[in-house]
Amino acid sequence: TIQAAVDAASAGDTIEVAPGNYTENIIVDKGVKIVGDSTQRPRIFGHLYFFLADFSELRDFEVVGPSSFSSGVRAYASSILLDHVFISGFDIGLSVSVQGSGDNLISRTIVNGCSQGFVVEDGAEVTFQNCMTLFNSAEGFSVAGDSAALIVNTDAVGNGAYGSQDAGISCQGTCDLANNIIVNNDVGIFCAATCQADTNLVWGNWTNYDGLDAGPNDINEDPKFEDPAEYDFHLKEASPAIDAGSSDMAPAVDFDGIPRPQGDGVDVGSYEYKKQASDITLAINEVMANPLDEDTGEFVELYNFGTDSVDAEGLVLWDGDAIDVIQGYQGGSTIIPAGGYAVILDSEYSDDYNIDPAARLLTVANTTLGNGLSTSDPISLWEPNMVTPIDRFSFPSNPGNGVSIEKVSIEEGDVLTNWKACPCGSTPGSENCASQPDNVSRDVLIAINEVMANPLDETTGEFVELYNFGDESVDLGGFILSDGDSNDTITGWQNGSTLLLPGDYGIVLDPDYAGQYSIPGSTVLLTIESSSTLGNGLAVTDPISLLDATGQSVIDSFSRPFNPGNGISVEKIDPIIGDIPSNWSSSTCAQGSSPGFLNCASGEVPVSNNTIAITEIMANPLNEDTGEYIELFNYGSSP
């Protein structure tokens, strides 16, 4: 029996328990470590009582009631540690009344189907991390008035009977709560004393908060568990809990031992979301969500970057609204050769594009690709099980009407700076224009060079500056400016010329322009036809595209708009480099803009005589409190 081993042990010993069932009540009266098998946890039909057994540990066990003792595990000692313990069927799952000083940690412990889950009383101070309290008929956590608890990255689900006013977390003492998922309880969080609570997901409780307000970073949304009916509380890919937690108190690993964080931030709850790796060598390479024909022109391009062919039959495309199963277009093949392209078309595609005959044509089983793609839809490609992701397009934006978003480099993957508005409109089934050297694909070398979307006078002061950086003159008459809301045809200001010579600037002014800017006399003044407002009223969130007179070819784009401030324009630093985020800047001009002039953002930056370089940055050390540093290097010949 386990009790016989405890009786024979001395303080400080470790007792290793083999897998199996142990029907006994165990009293531990000395500081020992009791360790089960992590893969085949020993099961105790009875209770454990740690009585003055300071510095004891219990790891990798199941403790199953009922028992004549009210608690499955009772800790009346100091410096108690429980890890990976599963408790069910008692009046109280775990009661802690730790006496004396010491670190008291309960981690990866689940209490399920008891009356109360975790109880902290008699002045105990306890940390709970990566724990779960599930479907108990009263409180999930109960902290008495003279006790304190830090509860972080736990799940409290389905506790309290309807109308019982029992809470997922009930605090009569001092409680710090962070990164917890608290859902479907009678009351989410009840506080009658001192509670610090933030970055918790509190949702679907009969009453979410009682005695306290929601924290400023709390979430009130469905956590999207994988399969709660089967006690699987892992997070699905779309869970709002992903990356939403605070790293300040989060444990270094999750319930499964996966290091935190796995993404941009710590996840809320006991599990850190970890994508399963796919062996399928397909990348989402181009997305057309804003075609000229919204009914038939949407597409998603895939590229096979591997050395073997890939069969796309049955793979799943998901845009957050609809799950689309991929199949051959008009019954064609779904085999994508190594180095080959495939274009997933709307099932009603009507020959909108000149697609390379070598590209594989695919479609989806329903009648609308992505339930009607929008320019705000992220898109992901999955294996048929919808568990293993293959690739993602995580940074949707509106590049303008008839313009796709392209991946610049397959190797760089799904990062913000690797997605760009297609400089030539779209390239379904062939090499991306965004992958080519800047401006190589253009026949017309006109750049959108400056945008004033937030003028001091909103009714008359908006403008778009164009610059001819080529060697040939370009007549801009009939060219189109698109801001995603409207397409505006360019014409001469007051019937003037629309011819832009090499090295010249052209300013597309609001038709009601009131002369508020000092524009050089050599500048070509332009405006728009059939509208009293440039771009239907430019906004600081509007992407802008310049298209030729056919509306089919994109000359240049401004795809990452931002707000530079009232009366300040956004200037391109170098018109030749093109539309990349680092090439746009708020105007540094004293007057806030430079219509018709060299952009102030293009001016020389003062260079220091000091030969000091920042050469290394540690912003994510193992110890966040003390381990950060910045390294400097003197590359000169003088101190």
Side-chain angles (χ1 to χ4, degrees):
T1 64
I2 299 172
Q3 184 66 63
V6 171
D7 293 342
S10 300
D13 282 352
T14 297
I15 300 169
E16 296 180 356
V17 181
N21 296 329
Y22 297 81
T23 304
E24 55 180 313
N25 295 315
I26 303 163
I27 297 176
V28 182
D29 58 359
K30 63 196 73 171
V32 293
K33 299 178 182 180
I34 307 176
V35 181
D37 187 310
S38 61
T39 59
Q40 301 180 65
R41 294 181 300 273
R43 183 179 293 112
I44 299 172
F45 291 91
H47 64 254
L48 285 93
Y49 183 16
F50 292 87
F51 179 72
L52 299 178
D54 300 345
F55 303 101
S56 288
E57 295 183 13
L58 181 68
R59 295 179 182 270
D60 300 312
F61 273 86
E62 291 185 27
V63 184
V64 183
S67 166
S68 59
F69 202 65
S70 63
S71 299
V73 178
R74 172 78 187 277
Y76 186 81
S78 66
S79 296
I80 288 289
L81 185 149
L82 266 68
D83 180 61
H84 213 222
V85 179
F86 296 67
I87 307 170
S88 62
F90 293 90
D91 184 29
I92 299 172
L94 169 66
S95 61
V96 185
S97 51
V98 178
Q99 304 299 301
S101 62
D103 296 325
N104 308 296
L105 176 63
I106 312 299
S107 72
R108 300 194 305 161
T109 292
I110 298 176
V111 177
N112 171 52
C114 296
S115 294
Q116 291 180 285
F118 300 95
V119 174
V120 183
E121 56 190 0
D122 296 333
E125 297 182 6
V126 186
T127 295
F128 297 89
Q129 62 184 31
N130 295 326
C131 292
M132 300 184 210
T133 177
L134 311 172
F135 310 114
N136 301 292
S137 59
E139 288 93 0
F141 288 88
S142 177
V143 182
D146 55 352
S147 301
L150 168 62
I151 303 174
V152 59
N153 286 100
T154 69
D155 295 336
V157 181
N159 299 287
Y162 172 77
S164 67
Q165 296 300 301
D166 293 317
I169 299 178
S170 177
C171 185
Q172 304 277 347
T174 301
C175 295
D176 286 336
L177 313 176
N179 303 349
N180 302 297
I181 294 178
I182 306 163
V183 299
N184 299 125
N185 306 282
D186 193 48
V187 177
I189 305 174
F190 170 75
C191 181
T194 304
C195 298
Q196 299 291 328
D198 199 10
T199 61
N200 299 293
L201 189 154
V202 185
W203 177 83
N205 307 283
W206 184 253
T207 302
N208 282 329
Y209 301 90
D210 187 353
L212 78 166
D213 295 326
N217 298 297
D218 276 7
I219 302 166
N220 183 231
E221 294 181 55
D222 182 351
K224 293 184 171 60
F225 291 129
E226 191 67 49
D227 192 354
E230 295 298 324
Y231 289 82
D232 185 353
F233 295 94
H234 290 83
L235 303 174
K236 290 183 178 179
E237 188 199 34
S239 171
I242 294 172
D243 297 340
S246 168
S247 62
D248 290 347
M249 296 177 287
V253 299
D254 76 345
F255 190 94
D256 289 335
I258 294 172
R260 297 182 188 270
Q262 286 291 308
D264 294 334
V266 168
D267 297 349
V268 174
S270 57
Y271 291 107
E272 190 78 2
Y273 177 75
K274 188 175 189 299
K275 293 181 180 179
Q276 298 184 40
S278 175
D279 295 328
I280 296 175
T281 56
L282 293 180
I284 296 174
N285 200 46
E286 184 178 5
V287 175
M288 172 63 83
N290 191 13
L292 296 176
D293 186 334
E294 294 282 353
D295 294 328
T296 65
E298 295 166 334
F299 69 79
V300 176
E301 179 191 81
L302 306 179
Y303 176 69
N304 182 0
F305 58 88
T307 56
D308 298 316
S309 297
V310 173
D311 189 351
E313 179 78 31
L315 299 183
V316 175
L317 201 69
W318 184 40
D319 72 340
D321 303 314
I323 295 174
D324 292 326
V325 179
I326 295 174
Q327 59 187 29
Y329 181 72
Q330 296 182 344
S333 173
T334 55
I335 304 295
I336 307 172
Y341 295 89
V343 186
I344 306 172
L345 299 162
D346 192 288
S347 60
E348 298 176 353
Y349 172 70
S350 57
D351 201 25
D352 304 71
Y353 305 103
N354 183 22
I355 300 176
D356 190 319
R360 188 71 66 216
L361 301 185
L362 307 171
T363 189
V364 295
N366 62 19
T367 59
T368 307
L369 178 62
N371 198 26
L373 289 179
S374 78
T375 54
S376 60
D377 285 341
I379 297 170
S380 51
L381 180 68
W382 296 76
E383 292 188 12
N385 58 18
M386 274 298 288
V387 172
T388 308
I390 300 169
D391 198 23
R392 279 188 63 87
F393 165 55
S394 301
F395 305 99
S397 66
N398 187 351
N401 201 27
V403 183
S404 68
I405 297 288
E406 294 184 325
K407 189 172 277 181
V408 178
S409 166
I410 292 293
E411 291 76 16
E412 291 295 321
D414 182 40
V415 296
L416 175 61
T417 54
N418 198 35
W419 292 104
K420 181 178 176 180
C422 176
C424 48
S426 64
T427 59
S430 55
E431 182 184 4
N432 291 346
C433 287
S435 301
Q436 300 173 17
D438 289 298
N439 300 322
V440 164
S441 61
R442 300 191 201 177
D443 295 323
V444 180
L445 301 182
I446 299 292
I448 296 175
N449 202 46
E450 184 176 4
V451 175
M452 173 62 83
N454 193 11
L456 296 177
D457 185 339
E458 294 281 354
T459 58
T460 67
E462 296 166 333
F463 69 80
V464 176
E465 179 189 81
L466 306 177
Y467 175 66
N468 184 350
F469 62 92
D471 297 326
E472 298 181 4
S473 298
V474 177
D475 188 347
L476 295 173
F479 278 44
I480 296 169
L481 272 182
S482 174
D483 70 343
D485 302 314
S486 66
N487 289 345
D488 295 321
T489 302
I490 296 175
T491 187
W493 172 261
Q494 297 180 346
N495 297 317
S497 173
T498 56
L499 187 67
L500 201 62
L501 301 178
D504 275 2
Y505 296 93
I507 308 296
V508 186
L509 298 163
D510 191 289
D512 296 324
Y513 172 65
Q516 57 263 57
Y517 302 109
S518 297
I519 302 175
S522 61
T523 305
V524 178
L525 300 184
L526 307 165
T527 189
I528 55 176
E529 294 180 349
S530 306
S531 172
S532 61
T533 308
L534 177 63
N536 200 27
L538 286 181
V540 293
T541 57
D542 284 344
I544 299 171
S545 297
L546 176 66
L547 295 86
D548 67 7
T550 68
Q552 299 295 313
S553 179
V554 176
I555 308 303
D556 198 20
S557 57
F558 167 50
S559 62
R560 295 292 175 182
F562 61 92
N563 188 352
N566 199 28
I568 300 175
S569 68
V570 177
E571 296 180 325
K572 186 173 277 181
I573 297 171
D574 186 336
I576 298 176
I577 290 178
D579 181 37
I580 59 175
S582 60
N583 199 33
W584 293 103
S585 172
S586 301
S587 175
T588 57
C589 300
Q591 65 272 26
S593 62
S594 59
F597 293 93
L598 177 70
N599 290 346
C600 295
S602 301
E604 289 292 326
V605 178
V607 177
S608 170
N609 292 324
N610 292 319
T611 54
I612 295 292
I614 296 173
T615 52
E616 185 176 2
I617 295 175
M618 170 61 82
N620 190 14
L622 296 177
N623 186 329
E624 294 281 356
D625 294 328
T626 64
E628 295 164 336
Y629 67 80
I630 298 174
E631 176 188 85
L632 307 178
F633 176 66
N634 181 358
Y635 57 89
S637 57
S638 302

